[in-house]
Amino acid sequence: MQAEALLWSKNVAGQRQCRPLGGAAPLSVFDLVEAPVLLPLPDAPFVLARWSTATVGPDIHVKVGRTLYSVPWKLIGRKVDVRSTATMVQVFHERELVKTHAALQQVKRTDKSDYPPEKIAFQMRTPIWCRGQASQVGDACRQVIDQLLEVNALYRLRAAQGVLGLRKKYGDTRLEAACRKAITVGDPSYRTVKGILVAGTETDPEPETGDAGASAFLHGPEGLFATAVPTQISDGLRDDQGHADAGTEEADR
């Protein structure tokens, strides 16, 4: 069909006298006027692109189709233009290219460098970093961090970072004392360490253990686990008790 169309355009339609062209044949006009000014074909094939407008959300992402793409955090709340193709997504703000992502069908693509500095710092505070910082504080702090990161390190990373974040407000000395006390009470968690520091009890003496001065049981195990008193003795005791009661009543009279 394509070959036949080319032959028809060249030998049939191209040879007709065309009134809008002053009776000239279209093929002759093309050869004399149009062909010399044609530009060469581009090296890359033409790419179909779709343009859309999106608003940058508080989580630094824009929604393009079913996918979320991150943009620099300074553009939160701004409207941006998005050019999306089958392989690439480009984000423009005021006609300036601000972000480029590889196109995805349906997930979330985030560039950590798009986050604010404090968020980037959180991402960089790895378990290795936490252990190194804890060692600078002291042995007790390192023990708390090691226990927090012993299981599910990535899940409990925020808690470990929270413990180390207390250094800025309370200092290394108080934090080390609070960690030591949290270990002593058997709860080396972020909540316990923070609670100790907030209450200011990290230097309080440990509570005393033992009977706290309670009177001892001096009857021995035989008395503690004694069996029932024999019936005869019990009866005798009841008789004696009865005589004693009678004597007392007589004396009262």
Side-chain angles (χ1 to χ4, degrees), residues 211 213-219:
D211 55 14
S215 56
F217 187 81
L218 302 179
H219 299 284

Side-chain angles (χ1 to χ4, degrees), residues 185-206:
V185 300
D187 186 18
S189 63
Y190 166 73
R191 180 177 297 181
T192 300
V193 173
K194 182 178 179 180
I196 293 172
L197 290 172
V198 171
T201 58
E202 68 275 3
T203 57
D204 290 352
E206 298 297 330

Side-chain angles (χ1 to χ4, degrees), residues 45-233:
F46 180 77
V47 178
L48 292 175
R50 184 172 64 88
W51 287 85
S52 60
T53 302
T55 302
V56 183
D59 62 346
I60 71 169
H61 288 79
V62 294
K63 188 174 183 180
V64 182
R66 296 182 178 181
T67 310
L68 296 173
Y69 298 94
S70 67
V71 296
W73 65 274
K74 292 184 178 180
L75 297 177
I76 291 178
R78 305 285 185 88
K79 288 189 176 296
V80 293
D81 297 317
V82 182
R83 179 181 181 270
S84 55
T85 67
T87 59
M88 184 180 302
V89 172
Q90 296 173 306
V91 182
F92 296 82
H93 179 251
E94 296 181 353
R95 300 183 179 180
E96 180 181 355
L97 179 63
V98 295
K99 198 67 185 179
T100 301
H101 288 282
L104 296 176
Q105 291 297 327
Q106 185 179 357
V107 228
K108 184 178 182 181
R109 183 175 290 277
T110 304
D111 185 352
K112 295 179 180 179
S113 63
D114 291 331
Y115 280 114
E118 59 272 16
K119 291 291 185 180
I120 297 176
F122 169 78
Q123 297 291 341
M124 296 302 293
R125 293 176 180 175
T126 61
I128 297 177
W129 180 88
C130 291
R131 290 187 175 95
Q133 293 294 313
S135 298
Q136 297 178 10
V137 177
D139 294 338
C141 184
R142 175 60 187 263
Q143 185 175 347
V144 170
I145 297 300
D146 286 341
Q147 292 186 26
L148 286 175
L149 300 178
E150 184 177 2
V151 181
N152 294 330
L154 294 180
Y155 178 75
R156 305 177 72 181
L157 179 60
R158 187 178 292 275
Q161 294 174 353
V163 172
L164 295 173
L166 299 171
R167 297 177 65 188
K168 183 181 297 184
K169 184 175 182 180
Y170 299 100
D172 290 358
T173 303
R174 292 190 61 188
L175 178 59
E176 174 69 8
C179 290
R180 187 180 302 107
K181 190 166 188 177
I183 294 172
T184 302
V185 300
D187 186 18
S189 63
Y190 166 73
R191 180 177 297 181
T192 300
V193 173
K194 182 178 179 180
I196 293 172
L197 290 172
V198 171
T201 58
E202 68 275 3
T203 57
D204 290 352
E206 298 297 330
E208 296 182 359
T209 58
D211 55 14
S215 56
F217 187 81
L218 302 179
H219 299 284
E222 293 80 4
L224 181 62
F225 300 103
T227 57
V229 180
T231 305
Q232 296 179 356
I233 298 177

